[in-house]
Amino acid sequence: MNTIEKFDKHVMHSYGRYPLVMQKGDGRKCTDENGKEYIDFGSGIGVNSLGFCDEKWVDKVCEQVKSLQHTSNYYYTGVQADFAGKLCEMTGYDSVFFCNSGAEANECAIKIARKYSFDKYGKNRHNIITLVNSFHGRTIATLSATGQEVFHNYFFPFVEGFINVEANNIDDLKEKLDDTVCAVMMEYIQGEGGVNVLDKDFVNAVYELCAKKDVLVIADEIQTGVGRTGKFLAGEHFCKKADITTLAKGIAGGIPMGACLTTEKCSNVLSAGTHGSTFGGNPIACAGGLAVLERLSEENFLESVSEKAKTFTEKLSQCSEVKSVSGMGLMIGIELKTKKSADVARKALDKGLLVLTAKNKVRLLPPLTISEQEIGDGLEILIDIMEE
Ligand SMILES: *Cc1c(COP(=O)(O)O)cnc(C)c1O
């Protein structure tokens, strides 16, 4: 039996996998079982923010593994204190709850929003507005929050209390933001939905209407956060700070971690016993997270992300098959004129380049540490395939 046969024998077939057995990563490149090399334009869906096995990240994680790998949340650890402090300092938030994934971070945000409202206004103000075409996770509650009908199958009954508003439709928002609503949850750039950046006017309207009614804004920055767009949070591009921001994916550089950040207003909503997670705030994950934050706070690091993004857009917009390029920073959506994104991704794999797709677009989420040389080499492969 080869690896793929062995794998498929017992691992559930819940993913449409590419026939690639990844063996080793180094920087922005990895190799498969047969020694074939790939340039990485996907970071494992925006997770390996510093690339594969970054030296300082490895050192920090290994040091932690050797001294304390886990303790329950009945006790304190210095590394969680350090990570929380640095994360709040870099984002301007007051408090954080640590968990292990994006869906869990959003679950936490949903619970905070509902309890904040319950504590202050009592029952029947529990609805949360989410946007059509959004993606918020795979648990039952976050699937219910996700504004795409394709996700609302098989697993009935879903969780009540989510109302969908069309992205960028201010009238729709005004009509649905009534006295039953406790929060609006949105991605500034819809990732899985196709790398769609929200209109500034719409984002402004959300904040204005919510402020008037003491409705919380939840920014799902699981994909857009931690430097991905050239700012630490994508909200900074809109000059906005949500009451609650959720992070995951790239936050710990490849170790499972999610975070739910709140302003002071919501800091004490989750009192003792109202929420928890066995692994949340795990010391190894916190150490990985600290290494990521230390790199991102180096001088000019975030500026370099924006500069690299420019190289991508400039080169891509010269390609005859490219209809448009969307996104911000190193979160890039490529709309094609004639080809299918899935076909391009599969061909790229053959040619030694890892890319992602989002709906009909080719999606790129390269490691934030990618070099201009690697961008050039990867784009040469990608553009060749697109122009073929
Ligand atoms: C990936 C993602 C999630 C879900 O994160 P998981 O870690 O897979 O649970 C939620 N929201 C957004 C915007 C995402 O990109």
Side-chain angles (χ1 to χ4, degrees):
M1 252 194 300
N2 66 29
T3 308
I4 291 178
E5 285 161 357
K6 196 168 146 190
F7 191 108
D8 279 340
K9 188 156 190 261
H10 293 298
V11 178
M12 288 186 195
H13 300 173
S14 57
Y15 301 94
R17 295 178 204 271
Y18 294 101
L20 159 64
V21 182
M22 204 180 280
Q23 192 156 58
K24 198 173 167 18
D26 181 15
R28 281 71 61 186
K29 288 179 184 158
C30 60
T31 44
D32 68 14
E33 265 190 331
N34 309 313
K36 180 176 167 183
E37 195 175 72
Y38 301 84
I39 298 174
D40 182 19
F41 274 7
S43 319
I45 320 194
V47 169
N48 294 332
S49 36
L50 305 182
F52 292 105
C53 309
D54 174 82
E55 208 180 306
K56 283 186 184 159
W57 178 86
V58 168
D59 286 349
K60 203 140 188 122
V61 168
C62 286
E63 202 182 301
Q64 187 60 49
V65 173
K66 285 177 192 163
S67 74
L68 180 78
Q69 86 276 31
H70 176 80
T71 178
S72 86
N73 277 307
Y74 289 121
Y75 311 112
Y76 293 87
T77 62
V79 70
Q80 190 175 151
D82 289 345
F83 184 52
K86 182 101 179 140
L87 190 59
C88 286
E89 179 200 313
M90 288 179 77
T91 55
Y93 279 96
D94 185 64
S95 308
V96 59
F97 178 86
F98 290 119
C99 49
N100 316 286
S101 69
E104 281 180 63
N106 284 340
E107 288 273 348
C108 180
I110 292 164
K111 284 178 77 171
I112 291 174
R114 284 188 169 178
K115 188 166 181 297
Y116 172 84
S117 186
F118 180 82
D119 289 348
K120 212 163 158 183
Y121 303 100
K123 281 186 179 161
N124 298 322
R125 193 178 177 277
H126 56 251
N127 285 328
I128 296 177
I129 288 180
T130 59
L131 303 185
V132 172
N133 207 34
S134 57
F135 181 80
H136 297 298
R138 296 287 196 159
T139 60
I140 295 281
T142 56
L143 270 184
S144 308
T146 291
Q148 300 188 52
E149 280 313 311
V150 292
F151 287 107
H152 300 160
N153 285 305
Y154 320 124
F155 311 113
F156 305 102
F158 287 93
V159 177
E160 284 174 47
F162 294 97
I163 300 169
N164 294 147
V165 160
E166 215 179 293
N168 300 326
N169 186 335
I170 296 174
D171 291 334
D172 197 24
L173 174 72
K174 279 184 179 158
E175 197 186 305
K176 290 173 181 163
L177 212 168
D178 60 22
D179 295 339
T180 68
V181 173
C182 65
V184 174
M185 175 151 103
M186 62 187 177
E187 303 152 86
Y188 292 109
I189 308 171
Q190 294 185 332
E192 303 307 308
V195 197
N196 309 313
V197 184
L198 290 184
D199 291 347
K200 274 216 160 102
D201 288 348
F202 181 78
V203 171
N204 288 337
V206 167
Y207 275 87
E208 252 171 58
L209 288 168
C210 286
K212 266 188 211 152
K213 293 172 168 257
D214 193 21
V215 167
L216 301 178
V217 178
I218 304 171
D220 178 343
E221 293 233 33
I222 289 163
Q223 193 159 149
T224 55
V226 197
R228 177 55 53 193
T229 67
K231 302 270 188 196
F232 193 84
L233 295 177
E236 296 169 49
H237 291 287
F238 295 85
C239 306
K240 291 286 185 279
K241 184 176 165 195
D243 300 290
I244 304 174
T245 285
T246 53
L247 299 173
K249 291 207 163 79
I251 191 173
I255 297 179
M257 167 168 270
C260 181
L261 291 157
T262 71
T263 59
E264 213 174 343
K265 185 155 115 175
C266 298
S267 284
N268 297 313
V269 172
L270 293 181
S271 47
T274 55
H275 198 43
S277 161
T278 297
F279 285 114
N282 170 274
I284 303 168
C286 287
L290 265 175
V292 170
L293 297 188
E294 278 165 15
R295 184 68 53 82
L296 264 61
S297 43
E298 277 175 15
E299 217 179 307
N300 292 325
F301 185 92
L302 290 173
E303 287 83 348
S304 80
V305 169
S306 304
E307 272 162 37
K308 292 173 205 172
K310 256 189 237 156
T311 311
F312 271 103
T313 26
E314 272 168 26
K315 291 198 171 156
L316 283 168
S317 50
Q318 284 162 20
C319 170
S320 59
E321 171 62 13
V322 173
K323 195 168 166 191
S324 70
V325 180
S326 65
M328 274 181 181
L330 290 177
M331 179 170 180
I332 300 162
I334 309 167
E335 188 187 5
L336 305 167
K337 283 183 185 155
T338 61
K339 292 195 164 59
K340 287 205 172 97
S341 57
D343 294 340
V344 171
R346 193 163 271 272
K347 277 190 187 156
L349 191 70
D350 288 341
K351 299 256 156 81
L353 175 70
L354 305 180
V355 301
L356 305 164
T357 60
K359 298 269 160 85
N360 57 342
K361 290 184 186 170
V362 174
R363 175 173 44 147
L364 310 181
L365 297 169
L368 306 180
T369 51
I370 197 160
S371 69
E372 291 285 347
Q373 176 72 45
E374 289 154 341
I375 295 171
D377 293 348
L379 280 181
E380 201 177 304
I381 297 173
L382 183 61
I383 289 172
D384 268 358
I385 292 166
M386 292 195 293
E387 287 183 345
E388 205 166 72

